[in-house]
Amino acid sequence: MLLHEYLYGLLGKKKAGELMAALKSGKTIIISGENGTGKTTLANFLRASGYHAAENFETYNVVLKNPLNSMVPNFKDTISTEQETSGKY
């Protein structure tokens, strides 16, 4: 079965088209959903087709709402402080 045929059957034509566009642009796909909805099957099919896909339980998402430079004024100072206090790095 071809990838686009599988996706059309699973997601419908519109959503399958959006997913195909994301895949073609090189984006990593994160799949989430309830148990038994086909997350693993879809992820395996995408991986077998040569794309990067991860199921939601395999990821840790961090969402930043502000520009990073406003939260960490000087990255080098932050690393130096961490080294001094934890003994790491």
Side-chain angles (χ1 to χ4, degrees), residues 36-82:
T37 57
K39 294 180 303 294
T40 301
T41 303
L42 176 57
N44 289 339
F45 201 92
L46 291 173
R47 288 182 197 123
S49 298
Y51 295 102
H52 301 285
E55 293 178 70
N56 197 27
F57 60 82
E58 295 177 351
T59 65
Y60 180 82
N61 297 324
V62 175
V63 178
L64 301 174
K65 298 192 183 230
N66 298 312
L68 185 57
N69 61 7
S70 71
M71 293 183 287
V72 182
N74 189 329
F75 186 70
K76 288 183 179 182
D77 289 345
T78 302
I79 295 297
S80 296
T81 302
E82 179 68 22

Side-chain angles (χ1 to χ4, degrees), residues 5-20:
E5 292 172 347
Y6 176 78
L7 294 177
Y8 287 172
L10 181 68
L11 304 171
K13 191 172 184 177
K14 182 180 179 197
K15 288 291 182 188
E18 292 171 2
L19 179 54
M20 288 298 297

